[in-house]
Amino acid sequence: QADRATVSAQFCWKLLKSSTMNFSSAATVLFMACLNASSSGFVFVNPPTQRIARTFVATPAKALATTSLHAASDPDDEIAAIHRNADATFAIIDVDGGGTLSRAELTNHLSVSGYNTETIDKIFNKMDVNKDDEISRQEFRDGMILLTALQSAPGLGNYNAEFAKEMCEDADQVFQSADADGNGEIDKEELRSHIGRSFANYSEAAIDEIFRQIDANSDGTITQEEFRDAFCKSSALRQAIGEGPNYK
């Protein structure tokens, strides 16, 4: 099974480098190839180290430091970083703010990233450990640790961290759009208004939780630095709040 996954992954990487498909679509194809190649559900395959040809310039070392998942060296710190990223992603997917993820919520979220129904069902079933047909926050946390491939999967992880420079530029543009009064901070009403313009299905509770996840120091406002940090780390947040002109 692992050999099949490796062959599929190598094929997708060749396809990615030789085609004009956008990075998000190619990354999704690669992830689904690795997922579907295993009868048990998930196979983690380390991709080639060769840089993918794109029009973006290489990311400076400083930008890579924005990804706490890769920066953590101590195992406990790494687990804590995965949990923080998982909580932020969970908040984005939990559209009704109910504190659990339904199959419909996960499907709606991952469909935008190009996943097919079979793949989404596999992810849901793996995470729904107690088989109550919903994913709790703890189950989602545990799933992100146990199913390693999800940590770099489109819509769930930080799958294109090497282009953090461009994502930070996008974050600044989205921040300016959300900062309606131009005071350099986003309050909860501004975030609610910004999300509501394109994503009216988010409940008040869901937006409150998204705000809490971005507001790192819990002072009731989101600074540009806080917004940039969250935006660059989370592909789910980029998908939910606005991707910006550099998104491919």
Side-chain angles (χ1 to χ4, degrees):
Q1 295 295 342
D3 289 342
R4 290 173 55 199
T6 302
V7 170
S8 298
Q10 289 174 343
F11 170 77
C12 289
W13 278 98
K14 289 179 181 178
L15 178 64
L16 188 155
K17 291 188 290 183
S18 62
S19 72
T20 58
M21 73 165 60
N22 65 50
F23 186 85
S24 178
S25 298
T28 302
V29 170
L30 174 62
F31 173 74
M32 289 193 293
C34 295
L35 175 65
N36 292 325
S38 169
S39 60
S40 62
F42 289 84
V43 172
F44 181 72
V45 178
N46 290 321
T49 56
Q50 181 177 355
R51 184 178 296 278
I52 299 166
R54 294 183 68 186
T55 57
F56 295 149
V57 297
T59 301
K62 180 180 179 181
L64 294 178
T66 63
T67 310
S68 61
L69 182 61
H70 297 285
S73 56
D74 182 86
D76 291 337
D77 290 342
E78 185 173 356
I79 290 174
I82 294 172
H83 282 170
R84 285 195 300 271
N85 294 340
D87 288 348
T89 302
F90 186 95
I92 297 295
I93 304 174
D94 184 21
V95 174
D96 65 5
T100 60
L101 304 184
S102 67
R103 193 177 296 267
E105 285 176 323
L106 188 66
T107 298
N108 290 339
H109 177 77
L110 292 182
S111 294
V112 176
S113 295
Y115 295 77
N116 59 39
T117 302
E118 180 183 1
T119 301
I120 296 171
D121 283 343
K122 285 184 178 181
I123 295 172
F124 188 94
N125 293 337
K126 284 288 183 181
M127 285 193 160
D128 180 21
V129 177
N130 65 3
K131 306 305 177 187
D132 63 352
D133 207 34
E134 59 184 18
I135 300 171
S136 69
R137 185 183 300 273
Q138 189 59 51
E139 285 177 325
F140 192 81
R141 281 181 163 195
D142 293 342
M144 293 298 287
I145 290 176
L146 295 175
L147 308 174
T148 313
L150 295 184
Q151 295 170 23
S152 57
L156 293 170
N158 194 11
Y159 65 97
N160 53 356
E162 65 178 307
F163 300 110
K165 175 180 180 294
E166 290 73 27
M167 288 187 289
C168 287
E169 291 173 355
D170 286 350
D172 292 343
Q173 293 202 26
V174 176
F175 181 89
Q176 291 172 10
S177 176
D179 181 19
D181 61 10
N183 71 342
E185 296 177 329
I186 297 174
D187 60 32
K188 194 172 294 185
E189 290 304 316
E190 286 175 323
L191 183 67
R192 182 175 290 112
S193 175
H194 178 81
I195 292 178
R197 285 198 290 270
S198 300
F199 304 95
N201 55 335
Y202 273 95
S203 69
E204 294 288 318
I207 295 175
D208 286 347
E209 180 61 20
I210 293 170
F211 187 94
R212 190 181 72 81
Q213 292 294 332
I214 302 174
D215 180 19
N217 65 2
S218 303
D219 67 351
T221 61
I222 298 171
T223 65
Q224 187 165 352
E225 189 64 30
E226 287 174 326
F227 187 85
R228 183 188 295 137
D229 186 57
F231 193 92
C232 291
K233 287 177 183 176
S234 172
S235 62
L237 179 62
R238 296 193 293 275
Q239 178 177 306
I241 205 170
E243 293 157 340
N246 283 318
Y247 183 84
K248 301 294 182 183

